[in-house]
Amino acid sequence: MLKKVLAILLVLTLVVGLAACGQQPASNEEQKSEETTSNSNEEQKSEETASDSGKEENWKIGIMTGTVSQNEEEYRAAENVLKRYGEEHIMIMTYPDKFMDEQETTIANVVSMAEDPDVKAIVFVQAVPGAAAAIDKAREVNPDLLVIAGVPGEDPGVISSKADIVLQPDELAMGTTIIEQAKKQGAKKFVHYSFPRHMSYPLLAARRDLFKENCEKMGIEFIDATAPDPTGDAGVSGAQQFILEDVPRMVEKHGKDTAFFSTNCSMQVPLIKSVVDQGAIYPQPCCPSPFHGFPSALGIEVPDDKKGDIDYMVEQITKVIAEKGMTGRLSTWPVPVAMMFIEGGVEYAKAYIEGETNGKVDVEVLKQKFEEYADTEIEMNTLEENGNKYDNYFTILLGFLDF
């Protein structure tokens, strides 16, 4: 019996020994294979988590803006966004300088962006005439687009029915604030340069009427001056030349305590230059911004590493104006409103795409994105006109920056 037990124990010992010998350490290749499998599983879990979060990975935002000759700062704002997110997420198209005569080109350029299935939103600044038709055509190929239309050139009732969000500097409030600012700067007369096309825009016409009304209240003479339309036969260069020649005539006739304002972007550079040369007053550009017209008009060279640097630009403008003995005679808003509409608009569109907004029109998130850009509080209201309230049409107002 004892021999049998010993024999069984011997067999068990051999089996255990053989099993132990069979458990050799994994080879390097086998270990790598296991690590790869483990990593693959982790990556798969990560991808599943990202998918579960609802975030859209293959997204693009189209930006429709003017050319450098029409309004450089808007195009530069689009470039800033492109640098931030890259071509895989940002598309830039421009509308023609003569957009009134070439609306089909504007429409075609917007549609070309909408045809890309990855484009989830289009930010349109400025939303020039033809924008409403372009939005209609874009929705035919991409019905779920989020469309943000900044600085519209079409009737509020038209553009607000086409775009999801409409953005506009508070033109009506400016009818008061600009005259108050001109008065503060010592203006005795106020020259308003525009042309029939712009005066056909209800908001610009209403603001002009407020200019006249407030000038009368504050003891300032209002002068309504007609300039050539930059989209007309004379083009941008003809309109700019007119301003360069007319401002000196106005100052000679009305004196240096004359404030000047123009409704057109391409006129700002010659207007600022002439005002400074003549020692007159310039309360605000049409699109309030330290970048709008000031660098070119004042001959300020902007290094590549300072482009888009608001503090640097304000410092340089203040310095040049002081050197020319014009301190306190020129002013603007502390941030570029058109650039804010583009850059803040893109950030809002991205938040919408990633499911971080309450639908297409989320007022709180929109205001948050603009205040993050401006680094200051902004006043944002919905437009009311002729008894109509447009819930998706927002007007923006900021205070003045005195140079």
Side-chain angles (χ1 to χ4, degrees), residues 42-156:
E42 290 300 319
E43 287 172 3
Q44 185 174 355
K45 287 178 184 177
S46 176
E47 287 173 3
E48 288 171 357
T49 301
S51 176
D52 291 342
S53 71
K55 289 205 172 184
E56 177 74 50
E57 295 297 329
N58 297 324
W59 58 267
K60 288 182 184 177
I61 297 171
I63 303 174
M64 187 69 176
T65 190
T67 64
V68 172
S69 63
Q70 264 289 347
N71 194 347
E72 181 174 354
E73 71 177 55
E74 291 168 7
Y75 188 81
R76 298 305 177 206
E79 285 189 324
N80 290 343
V81 175
L82 179 62
K83 288 174 187 174
R84 190 177 311 143
Y85 293 113
E87 292 183 355
E88 66 271 26
H89 291 306
I90 302 296
M91 298 174 66
I92 300 175
M93 298 291 286
T94 60
Y95 52 79
D97 285 349
K98 292 191 174 185
F99 49 82
M100 288 300 293
D101 298 331
E102 301 175 34
Q103 292 187 27
E104 289 302 320
T105 302
T106 299
I107 294 169
N109 288 350
V110 172
V111 171
S112 71
M113 290 191 289
E115 286 176 336
D116 186 327
D118 288 337
V119 171
K120 311 299 181 185
I122 291 178
V123 178
F124 206 138
V125 181
Q126 298 178 22
V128 295
I135 294 168
D136 274 344
K137 290 292 185 182
R139 291 199 192 280
E140 287 179 9
V141 296
N142 197 336
D144 296 326
L145 271 177
L146 169 73
V147 179
I148 299 175
V151 194
E154 295 173 299
D155 184 82

Side-chain angles (χ1 to χ4, degrees), residues 17-284:
L18 288 170
C21 291
Q23 290 177 349
Q24 297 292 331
S27 68
N28 288 338
E29 290 303 316
E30 289 170 334
Q31 190 169 354
K32 286 178 183 177
S33 175
E34 288 174 3
E35 289 174 356
T36 300
T37 302
S38 176
N39 290 340
S40 176
N41 290 337
E42 290 300 319
E43 287 172 3
Q44 185 174 355
K45 287 178 184 177
S46 176
E47 287 173 3
E48 288 171 357
T49 301
S51 176
D52 291 342
S53 71
K55 289 205 172 184
E56 177 74 50
E57 295 297 329
N58 297 324
W59 58 267
K60 288 182 184 177
I61 297 171
I63 303 174
M64 187 69 176
T65 190
T67 64
V68 172
S69 63
Q70 264 289 347
N71 194 347
E72 181 174 354
E73 71 177 55
E74 291 168 7
Y75 188 81
R76 298 305 177 206
E79 285 189 324
N80 290 343
V81 175
L82 179 62
K83 288 174 187 174
R84 190 177 311 143
Y85 293 113
E87 292 183 355
E88 66 271 26
H89 291 306
I90 302 296
M91 298 174 66
I92 300 175
M93 298 291 286
T94 60
Y95 52 79
D97 285 349
K98 292 191 174 185
F99 49 82
M100 288 300 293
D101 298 331
E102 301 175 34
Q103 292 187 27
E104 289 302 320
T105 302
T106 299
I107 294 169
N109 288 350
V110 172
V111 171
S112 71
M113 290 191 289
E115 286 176 336
D116 186 327
D118 288 337
V119 171
K120 311 299 181 185
I122 291 178
V123 178
F124 206 138
V125 181
Q126 298 178 22
V128 295
I135 294 168
D136 274 344
K137 290 292 185 182
R139 291 199 192 280
E140 287 179 9
V141 296
N142 197 336
D144 296 326
L145 271 177
L146 169 73
V147 179
I148 299 175
V151 194
E154 295 173 299
D155 184 82
V158 173
I159 193 65
S160 65
S161 69
K162 305 299 181 183
D164 297 297
I165 293 173
V166 184
L167 302 168
Q168 176 87 29
D170 197 333
E171 308 288 0
L172 294 181
M174 285 185 212
T176 299
T177 60
I178 289 175
I179 303 304
E180 289 176 342
Q181 178 70 1
K183 180 73 173 179
K184 175 185 168 185
Q185 292 169 312
K188 296 175 182 175
K189 300 187 180 183
F190 183 87
V191 176
H192 178 266
Y193 284 118
S194 193
F195 36 84
R197 177 172 61 83
H198 268 191
M199 289 300 92
S200 71
Y201 298 174
L203 281 175
L204 298 189
R207 184 183 62 188
R208 186 265 319 272
D209 293 341
L210 283 171
F211 281 155
K212 292 172 70 174
E213 181 182 324
N214 285 301
C215 278
E216 185 176 346
K217 287 180 182 178
M218 298 180 204
I220 298 172
E221 181 183 341
F222 179 84
I223 301 166
D224 206 356
T226 301
D229 188 334
T231 67
D233 293 338
V236 170
S237 60
Q240 291 174 333
Q241 186 61 36
F242 170 83
I243 295 295
L244 287 171
E245 294 172 358
D246 196 63
V247 170
R249 290 194 293 262
M250 287 286 190
V251 173
E252 183 179 1
K253 181 178 180 180
H254 299 289
K256 292 186 177 182
D257 289 336
T258 301
F260 289 86
F261 180 83
S262 169
T263 63
N264 179 255
C265 292
S266 66
M267 292 180 183
Q268 302 309 307
V269 171
L271 187 56
I272 295 170
K273 184 179 187 308
S274 295
V275 163
V276 171
D277 289 345
Q278 300 301 316
I281 295 170
Y282 183 81
Q284 180 193 299

Side-chain angles (χ1 to χ4, degrees), residues 308-327:
D309 187 327
I310 296 175
D311 292 337
Y312 173 82
M313 184 52 59
V314 170
E315 178 185 336
Q316 294 303 306
I317 294 170
T318 303
K319 177 183 175 183
V320 173
I321 286 175
E323 289 171 353
K324 294 180 178 293
M326 289 289 289
T327 297

Side-chain angles (χ1 to χ4, degrees), residues 165 344 348 351 356-372 378 380 391 394:
I165 293 173
Y348 177 86
E356 297 172 2
T357 67
N358 183 16
K360 286 187 173 181
V361 184
D362 189 323
V363 179
E364 290 184 8
V365 175
L366 185 64
K367 190 170 186 285
Q368 174 195 335
K369 296 303 179 184
F370 288 155
E371 289 185 338
E372 286 174 358
I378 66 169
M380 192 168 89
D391 292 334
F394 302 101

